[in-house]
Amino acid sequence: QSVLTQAPSASGTPGQRVTISCSGSTSNIGSNTVNWYQQLPGTAPKLLIYSNNQRPSGVPDRFSGSKSGTSASLAISGLQSEDEADYYCAAWDDSLNGVLFGGGTKLTVL
Amino acid sequence: QVQLQESGPGLVKPSETLSLTCTVSGGSISTYYWTWIRQPPGKGLEWIGYIYYIGRTNYNPSLRSRVTISIDTSKNQFSLRLISVTAADTAVYYCARVNIAAPTPDAFDMWGQGTMVTVSS
């Protein structure tokens, strides 16, 4: 049901920079800010980025977010093994009048 | 440090009602928006709805006819009620707090650990 589209998987090697993308439409990403969540195996999601590019306290600056038009991206630099997790984008949708999540991207650190 | 803890039955029969409570500790439930989110096994996240501390609610249209979220500020708790459940409602249910700094109520900065609810006879 997700109308925020993410690639199901991504991978990188330690130290590398990886980017995860999220594609939406004018009623969600095009009109509102984007948030990113990290879900480590067996745990609750954690807010990683809010308002497109803001990091909550405690989130390393290796994580950064950006938005352009109806798409958004999460970049992880200096990739570490502990970054292996599922990553979800989310945004408010004006047509739904509610929150949409992307389908999630499983990041593997090779 | 604010903490959230979900509680409720782990097994619900088809056609019956799922009821969960989220207890907020370490801070007041007032001032914030609070939300429920679920995640079916092996699948992604689905927003269920939110409640403001004064009682104003907003629900996912796909669940609106079956869901009610309520709040009890005297107990620092908010609750989820989902009627007429089916196997498709089997999921881990999370309660979460909405980040007050975000422009829309969709950035969830504090989460409970989640509780698994299975719908089965």
Side-chain angles (χ1 to χ4, degrees):
Chain A
Q1 189 208 350
S2 300
V3 293
L4 297 185
T5 303
Q6 297 182 242
S9 63
S11 63
T13 56
Q16 198 174 17
R17 182 178 188 273
V18 298
T19 301
I20 295 171
S21 297
C22 176
S23 177
S25 66
T26 53
S27 65
N28 41 70
I29 294 178
S31 306
N32 299 293
T33 58
V34 178
N35 311 297
W36 289 92
Y37 298 89
Q38 176 194 59
Q39 187 175 31
L40 297 170
T43 69
K46 169 189 170 183
L47 182 64
L48 208 57
I49 298 286
Y50 69 96
S51 297
N52 300 329
N53 54 19
Q54 301 299 301
R55 283 186 306 275
S57 174
V59 173
D61 59 7
R62 302 188 296 107
F63 295 91
S64 62
S66 63
K67 187 187 96 166
S68 178
T70 59
S71 295
S73 295
L74 171 72
I76 308 172
S77 60
L79 195 64
Q80 300 178 3
S81 58
E82 53 261 42
D83 298 332
E84 191 160 283
D86 293 324
Y87 292 85
Y88 294 90
C89 60
W92 186 266
D93 187 281
D94 293 334
S95 299
L96 180 73
N97 194 32
V99 182
L100 281 176
F101 284 99
T105 297
K106 183 175 185 62
L107 175 64
T108 301
V109 180
L110 302 170
Chain B
Q1 175 74 347
V2 173
Q3 292 187 315
L4 289 76
Q5 178 68 58
E6 305 89 350
S7 59
L11 181 64
V12 181
K13 289 183 168 57
S15 80
E16 296 192 346
T17 297
L18 180 159
S19 294
L20 296 174
T21 294
C22 182
T23 300
V24 180
S25 59
S28 174
I29 202 168
S30 298
T31 309
Y32 289 92
Y33 285 86
W34 304 89
T35 193
W36 287 97
I37 295 149
R38 69 181 183 178
Q39 184 172 34
K43 296 188 178 181
L45 302 168
E46 181 181 28
W47 174 71
I48 297 172
Y50 68 66
I51 187 164
Y52 194 36
Y53 77 102
I54 56 173
R56 181 160 59 93
T57 55
N58 188 25
Y59 302 128
N60 187 324
S62 69
L63 297 170
R64 184 172 291 140
S65 63
R66 299 194 294 129
V67 69
T68 302
I69 298 176
S70 58
I71 195 164
D72 187 337
T73 55
S74 67
K75 293 183 179 179
N76 243 30
Q77 295 177 333
F78 64 104
S79 299
L80 170 70
R81 187 169 174 264
L82 184 66
I83 66 171
S84 305
V85 297
T86 69
D89 296 309
T90 293
V92 175
Y93 285 76
Y94 295 100
C95 60
R97 187 184 76 175
V98 178
N99 185 331
I100 202 169
T104 45
D106 60 340
F108 312 128
D109 62 355
M110 300 294 298
W111 294 66
Q113 64 185 23
T115 188
M116 180 68 200
V117 179
T118 301
V119 178
S120 175
S121 55

